[in-house]
Every structure is written in C-alpha cells, then in structure tokens.
C-alpha cells in the first residue's frame, strides 16, 4: 500500500475534530439552553480545536530574540479585508491583561463568536490566498479545501448565544490540549440522550434554517445593491449613448449642410467658368472680326498698289509726250521739289510712327508670351499683325520710290500727286486710329487677364478651405467611430457583469444546497 502524505492526514484529522467539536457544541448548547459562558467545557474545547486548525502549517517568523509561530498575524489581516472587523481588532488591542500575540488571537476568536461573525471573517481570509501565503505554507489547512469546509461548518454556530468575559481571563498562559474523551460516547450515554438529541436536532434545524435565511437575505440585499449599481451604470451608459447619438445626428446635419454648401460653391464655380468661357469666346470672335478688318485693309492696299502700277504705266506713256515741255516746267519743278521735301518729312514721321508701332507690338508680344497657354492664338494674331505692318512698310517704301520717280519725271501731274498724298495721309490717319484702337483692346485684354488670375487665385483659396473643412469632417467621423467602439466595449462589459452576477447567484444557491446537504446529511 502507498503511504499517505502526513500533512494530508493531519488536515483530515483536524477537519474531523472540528466537525465533532462544532457538532457537539451545538448539540450541548441546544440541550443546555443555548446561552454559554467561558467555563463551558465544549466551548473551551472548540477554541482549542480552532487554535490548532489556525496553527497548522503556520510559517516560522524570526523575531529580535527568538523564533515564534503566531496566529495573530493572519487574524489581524482581516481588518484590511473586512471593514466591520476593525471594531473587534481595536477592542482586542485595548484589553489591558493581554501581553502576547497568542492571547490577542484567543480573545479575537471569543469576540468573533459573541458577534456571530466568525464564519464571515474567516471566509474573507481564506479567499485571499495570495495574502495568506505570507503566513502559511502551501500545504496548510487554511490554504486547502479543508479550511473552506471548516468555515462552512462555523455558520452553524450563529444559533448559539455566548456570554464570555474576556477581561478577567488569563489567555496568555493557557495550554491548549484537545480532550478526546468528550467525543468518545458509550452505549448508555447514547441511549439516555436520544430524546435530547431529537429535541436538539429539531431546534438546531430551526435555528440553522433561520441563520441560513438571514445570510441569504444579506446576500440578496448585497446582490440587490450590486444590481442597483449596475442599473445606475447602465442608465448612465444609456444617457451617454443618447448624447453620443445626438452628437452623431448633429454632426451628420453639419456634414449635410457642408455638402450642400460645397455643391452650391461648385455650381457657382461652374457658372463662373461658363461665363468666363463665354467671355473668351466673345473675345475670340472680336479678334476674328479685327482680323477680318485687317484683311480688308490689306486687300485695299493691294488694290491701291495695282492702281498705282496702272498710273505708273500711264505716266511713262505721258513722259514721252512731256519731254518737250521740260524747259517750261523747270520753275514748276522747283516748287514741286519743295513739296516733295515736305512730303519726305511727313513720310519720315510716318516711318518713325511705324517703328514705334513695331516696338509696341514687340513688347506686347513678349508680355503675351509670359501669359498662360490659352493666349497662344492671341500671340499668333499679333505676329501676323507685325508681318502685315512690315508689308505695309515695304509697300510704303515702294510708293516713296515711285513717287520720287514720278516727281522727277512728272511736271504736270502735280495735282494728281497732291490728291494721292492727301489720300495717303487720310489712310495713314485711319491706320493710326486703328492702331490706337488695337492698343486699347490690348490694354483691356491685359486687365481681363489680371482679373482672371485674381479670380483663379480666389477659387484656389476657396477650394483649399473646402479641403480643410472636409478633412475636419473626416476627423470628426473618426472620433464618432471611436465613440461607437467604446460604447460597444461598454455594452460587452455590461453583459459580462450580468453573466458574472448570474454565475454568483448560481454559486450561492449551490453553496446553500451543499451546506444544507452536509448539515442534514
């Protein structure tokens, strides 16, 4: 046969002795009258057995002078775990006759029995095994299941009324020895006490049921308080959820408003773009019209050149006839030379004006090149204008040469030359007017370009603001999602607490059924 663990045997023996002492104390108290004093032998033996149970597996602690084992340390720990035990601890410390920790522990057990709270105090103590490990070995009775069984048996002592005088009793020097003769019964004693046992059992059952009812009422009240606290927390969570929902609704409304505003802004921008497109189209049409006018002017210039060529041929034909009349017209030629010099001066002025127009056109061409890509067509138009002005200058030079030849050769064509010069002056005036109109149009185009640039900058700024608003809305939606996640986590915690509450109720019911089975069994 395998040898048993001696510590397990010790725990079993102490458990059996605790059962016998508690049962004998309850039976004798019921037959004796249930009001006990300190001289009652079963009560003394109960305290001795409890002392041995609490000392089992107690760690040896080093003091300044020697080594000692004391149960006052774990009993003193009850004050921190069970607030109602502060009164009993303070009263034990205030007792004048106690000098040793063992005497304080014995006084504590007696006061706990009188308060009918010994089972409650020790139950709080055995639950905290991590704290008990500082005082007990791992194989001690208080660290194993036997300690929980003994605490469950102590509940039956609440039917006993004890009137103990702790002040006059010498608890420091008592020697705790278990008297086994009290628990060894003869057949005669058993036969004589059957009736008393039956009566005591009935009273014991009644008192036990009352005590269980009291404990169950206390547990039910504590559970009700927990349920109330959980309901309060649930209501708070529901309120927070409602507030969060309201915030979500408000944010959704703000988001909807911002989207509608964004749509309106986009519509406005589209309208403005359409307006600008229409303006650009009108400008292009004006440029086309101006181009047509220039083409017409060039056609007229070509016609004039043709007429001049015909006039030249007629003049050459007349020169052969008028050679004989040269001497007579010398005086007239001098006058014509003066007029020609004046006309040359006017032509030089016209050339300077044309050169200024060229320089102006070149500057405008450079400015238009630095503008946007959409103005390339305008630059091409300006280049064409420059080419046409060059052609006009070439044509004017040819006209000048022809005029010089005609002035030398022609004597009688003075009137026709004057008419021609007047026509040229009128044409040059019309050209200057047209050039001034074109310059005004160019100035207007530059101002329009500046306005378009400013308008585009404002549109870009509005778009940037809209982007910032959208990013802000995205951040707020992320915060709303995080709030939803926190709410779901809180709901899960609430459900877990409800499950724990339900499991605790089931555990209490099972514990009550087990205690009733152990007691009545």
């Amino acid at each position: 046969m395998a040898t048993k663990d001696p510590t397990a045997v010790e725990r079993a023996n102490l458990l059996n002795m605790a059962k016998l002492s508690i049962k004998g104390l309850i039976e004798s108290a019921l037959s004796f009258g249930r009001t006990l004093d300190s001289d009652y032998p079963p009560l003394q033996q109960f305290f001795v057995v409890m002392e041995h149970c609490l000392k089992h597996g107690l760690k040896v602690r080093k003091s300044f002078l020697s080594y000692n084992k004391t149960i006052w340390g774990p009993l003193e720990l009850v004050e921190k775990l069970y607030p109602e035990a502060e009164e009993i601890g303070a009263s034990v410390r205030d007792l004048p006759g106690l000098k040793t920790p063992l005497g304080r522990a014995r006084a504590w057990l007696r006061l706990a029995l009188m308060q009918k709270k010994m089972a409650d105090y020790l139950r709080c103590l055995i639950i905290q095994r991590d704290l008990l490990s500082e005082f007990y070995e791992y194989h001690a009775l208080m660290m194993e299941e036997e300690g929980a069984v003994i605490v469950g048996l102590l509940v039956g002592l609440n039917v006993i009324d004890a009137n103990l005088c702790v002040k006059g009793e010498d608890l420091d020097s008592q020697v705790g020895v278990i008297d086994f003769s009290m628990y060894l019964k003869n057949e005669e004693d058993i036969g004589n006490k059957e009736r008393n046992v039956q009566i005591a059992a009935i009273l014991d059952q009644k008192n036990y049921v009352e005590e269980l009812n009291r404990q169950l009422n206390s547990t039910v009240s504590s559970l009700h308080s927990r349920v109330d606290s959980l309901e309060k927390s649930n209501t708070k969570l529901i309120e927070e959820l409602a507030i969060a929902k309201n915030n979500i609704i408000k944010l959704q409304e703000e988001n909807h408003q911002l989207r509608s505003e964004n749509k309106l802004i986009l519509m406005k921008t589209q309208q403005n773009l359409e307006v600008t497109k229409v303006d650009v189209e009108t400008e292009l049409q004006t440029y086309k019209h101006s181009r047509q006018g220039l083409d017409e002017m060039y056609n007229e210039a070509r016609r004039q050149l043709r007429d001049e060529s015909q006039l030249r041929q007629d003049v050459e034909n007349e020169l052969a006839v008028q050679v004989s009349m040269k001497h007579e017209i010398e005086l007239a030629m001098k006058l014509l030379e003066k007029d020609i010099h004046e006309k040359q001066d006017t032509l030089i002025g016209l050339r300077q004006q044309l050169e200024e127009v060229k320089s102006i056109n070149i500057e405008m061409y450079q400015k238009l090149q630095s503008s946007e890509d959409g103005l390339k067509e305008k630059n091409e138009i300006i280049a064409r204008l420059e080419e046409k002005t060059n052609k006009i200058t070439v044509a004017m030079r040819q006209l000048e040469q022809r005029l010089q030849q005609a002035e030398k050769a022609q004597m009688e064509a003075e009137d026709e030359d004057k008419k021609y010069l007047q026509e040229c002056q009128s044409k040059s005036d019309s050209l200057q007017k047209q050039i001034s109109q074109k310059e005004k149009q160019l100035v207007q185009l530059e101002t329009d370009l500046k306005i378009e640039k400013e308008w585009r900058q404002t549109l870009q700024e509005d778009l940037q603001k809209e982007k910032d608003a959208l990013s802000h809305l995205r951040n707020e939606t992320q915060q709303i999602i995080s709030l939803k996640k926190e709410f779901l986590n809180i709901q899960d915690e609430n459900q877990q607490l409800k499950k724990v509450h339900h499991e605790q109720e089931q555990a209490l019911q099972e514990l009550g059924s087990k205690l009733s089975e152990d007691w009545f069994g």
Side-chain angles (χ1 to χ4, degrees):
M1 292 178 69
T3 59
K4 292 184 178 180
D5 188 5
T7 57
V9 175
E10 288 178 358
R11 290 198 301 270
N13 291 331
L14 288 171
L15 178 60
N16 292 323
M17 286 305 301
K19 287 180 179 180
L20 291 171
S21 64
I22 292 168
K23 187 176 179 182
L25 180 60
I26 293 171
E27 290 176 353
S28 62
L30 292 172
S31 62
F32 184 71
R34 294 186 296 163
T35 301
L36 307 177
D37 55 5
S38 59
D39 294 330
Y40 191 61
L43 186 60
Q44 292 178 356
Q45 286 299 310
F46 166 73
F47 287 126
V48 171
V49 171
M50 286 301 300
E51 186 176 341
H52 279 83
C53 291
L54 291 171
K55 283 183 179 179
H56 183 264
L58 193 66
K59 289 182 180 180
V60 178
R61 289 184 173 272
K62 294 180 181 181
S63 63
F64 183 71
L65 297 174
S66 62
Y67 297 94
N68 60 356
K69 288 183 179 182
T70 178
I71 59 174
W72 174 241
L75 294 178
E76 194 176 11
L77 185 64
V78 178
E79 297 179 14
K80 297 179 181 179
L81 303 175
Y82 201 83
E84 295 181 2
E86 293 179 357
E87 184 179 357
I88 188 172
S91 60
V92 168
R93 293 186 192 93
D94 292 336
L95 290 173
L98 298 176
K99 297 179 181 179
T100 61
L102 183 59
R104 295 190 186 94
R106 289 170 178 171
W108 189 90
L109 291 173
R110 283 160 175 76
L111 292 174
L113 182 64
M114 285 193 289
Q115 288 184 354
K116 299 182 180 181
K117 291 289 186 68
M118 187 183 291
D120 297 332
Y121 294 159
L122 294 179
R123 185 182 292 111
C124 293
L125 191 62
I126 62 171
I127 291 170
Q128 302 292 331
R129 290 189 178 181
D130 53 349
L131 297 175
L132 281 179
S133 62
E134 296 180 0
F135 300 97
Y136 289 100
E137 301 290 341
Y138 67 93
H139 57 80
L141 184 140
M142 295 296 289
M143 299 289 289
E144 297 293 335
E145 294 181 356
E146 289 83 358
V149 174
I150 291 170
V151 171
L153 293 172
L154 290 174
V155 177
L157 296 177
N158 293 332
V159 301
I160 297 173
D161 295 328
N163 188 7
L164 305 177
C165 185
V166 183
K167 289 183 179 180
E169 193 173 359
D170 187 9
L171 299 175
D172 293 329
S173 60
Q174 286 183 2
V175 179
V177 179
I178 300 173
D179 187 6
F180 293 98
S181 63
M182 293 180 64
Y183 308 108
L184 298 174
K185 296 181 180 180
N186 296 323
E187 293 180 357
E188 294 179 356
D189 295 331
I190 294 168
N192 292 326
K193 293 183 179 179
E194 286 180 355
R195 295 177 181 176
N196 293 326
V197 168
Q198 291 177 357
I199 295 166
I202 292 167
L203 294 171
D204 190 10
Q205 289 175 2
K206 182 181 178 182
N207 292 318
Y208 182 69
V209 169
E210 289 177 354
E211 183 62 26
L212 286 176
N213 192 6
R214 186 183 66 81
Q215 288 185 353
L216 289 172
N217 287 324
S218 64
T219 54
V220 167
S221 63
S222 64
L223 289 172
H224 279 303
S225 63
R226 287 181 183 177
V227 169
D228 291 332
S229 64
L230 288 171
E231 286 178 353
K232 289 178 181 179
S233 63
N234 194 3
T235 53
K236 288 181 181 178
L237 291 172
I238 289 166
E239 290 176 356
E240 290 177 356
L241 189 142
I243 292 165
K245 284 182 178 179
N246 291 323
N247 290 324
I248 289 163
I249 291 164
K250 289 180 181 178
L251 290 171
Q252 287 177 354
E253 290 177 354
E254 290 178 357
N255 192 359
H256 183 69
Q257 290 178 359
L258 290 171
R259 284 180 180 175
S260 63
E261 290 177 358
N262 192 2
K263 288 179 180 178
L264 291 171
I265 290 165
L266 289 171
M267 291 292 287
K268 289 179 180 178
T269 53
Q270 288 177 358
Q271 291 176 359
N272 291 322
L273 288 170
E274 290 177 355
V275 171
T276 53
K277 285 180 181 178
V278 172
D279 294 332
V280 170
E281 288 177 356
T282 54
E283 288 176 359
L284 289 171
Q285 290 177 359
T286 54
Y287 281 122
K288 288 178 180 179
H289 289 301
S290 63
R291 185 177 177 182
Q292 290 177 359
L294 291 170
D295 291 331
E296 290 176 356
M297 289 173 66
Y298 289 128
N299 291 321
E300 289 178 357
R302 286 178 183 177
R303 288 175 185 176
Q304 289 175 1
L305 288 171
R306 288 175 185 175
D307 295 333
E308 288 175 358
S309 62
Q310 290 177 0
L311 290 170
R312 183 180 177 183
Q313 289 177 0
D314 294 332
V315 169
E316 286 177 355
N317 292 322
E318 290 177 355
L319 282 172
V321 178
Q322 292 176 358
V323 171
S324 61
M325 298 174 71
K326 184 177 181 182
H327 295 284
E328 295 177 354
I329 304 171
E330 285 178 355
L331 297 172
M333 286 293 291
K334 290 179 180 179
L335 296 171
L336 287 171
E337 283 177 359
K338 290 180 181 178
D339 292 330
I340 287 164
H341 286 297
E342 291 176 356
K343 290 176 182 179
Q344 285 178 355
D345 293 330
T346 55
L347 289 170
I348 289 164
L350 289 170
R351 286 178 184 176
Q352 290 177 357
Q353 289 178 357
L354 287 170
E355 286 176 357
E356 289 176 357
V357 170
K358 283 182 182 180
S359 63
I360 291 164
N361 288 324
I362 290 165
E363 288 177 357
M364 293 302 294
Y365 181 73
Q366 291 176 356
K367 289 180 182 178
L368 290 170
Q369 280 182 348
S370 63
S371 63
E372 295 177 351
D373 295 329
L375 299 175
K376 288 181 180 180
E377 295 178 355
K378 297 177 183 180
N379 289 323
E380 291 175 357
I381 291 165
I382 291 166
R384 289 174 183 175
L385 288 171
E386 287 178 355
E387 289 176 358
K388 289 177 181 179
T389 52
N390 290 321
K391 288 179 181 179
I392 290 166
T393 54
V394 171
M396 291 297 290
R397 287 177 184 175
Q398 290 176 359
L399 289 171
E400 288 174 358
Q401 290 176 0
R402 289 173 184 175
L403 287 170
Q404 287 176 1
Q405 291 175 2
E407 285 171 354
K408 288 178 182 179
Q410 293 175 359
M411 296 292 290
E412 295 178 353
E414 242 177 278
D415 296 328
E416 292 177 356
D417 289 330
K418 287 180 181 180
K419 291 179 181 179
Y420 181 73
L421 288 171
Q422 288 177 358
E423 288 176 356
C424 288
Q425 286 179 357
S426 63
K427 288 178 182 179
S428 64
D429 293 330
S430 63
L431 287 170
Q432 286 180 357
K433 288 179 181 179
Q434 290 178 359
I435 289 163
S436 63
Q437 289 178 358
K438 295 288 177 66
E439 288 177 353
K440 289 179 181 178
Q441 289 178 358
L442 289 170
V443 172
Q444 288 179 357
L445 287 171
E446 286 179 354
T447 54
D448 293 331
L449 287 170
K450 289 180 181 179
I451 291 164
E452 286 179 357
K453 286 181 181 179
E454 291 176 355
W455 179 68
R456 287 180 182 175
Q457 288 178 358
T458 53
L459 285 174
Q460 288 178 357
E461 290 176 355
D462 293 331
L463 288 170
Q464 188 65 32
K465 289 179 181 178
E466 288 176 359
K467 287 180 181 178
D468 295 333
L470 287 170
S471 63
H472 183 67
L473 287 171
R474 287 176 183 171
N475 293 322
E476 287 179 350
T477 51
Q478 288 178 359
Q479 290 178 0
I480 289 163
I481 291 164
S482 64
L483 286 171
K484 286 182 180 178
K485 290 181 181 178
E486 289 178 359
F487 176 69
L488 292 172
N489 293 323
I490 290 165
Q491 282 184 346
D492 294 331
E493 289 177 359
N494 191 3
Q495 290 178 359
Q496 289 177 1
L497 289 171
K498 286 181 179 178
K499 287 180 181 178
V500 170
H501 175 62
H502 184 66
E503 290 174 358
Q504 288 179 356
E505 285 183 351
Q506 289 180 354
L508 287 170
Q509 289 177 0
E510 290 176 359
L511 192 141
S513 63
K514 285 181 181 180
L515 289 173
S516 62
E517 287 175 1
D518 291 331
W519 182 253
F520 293 109

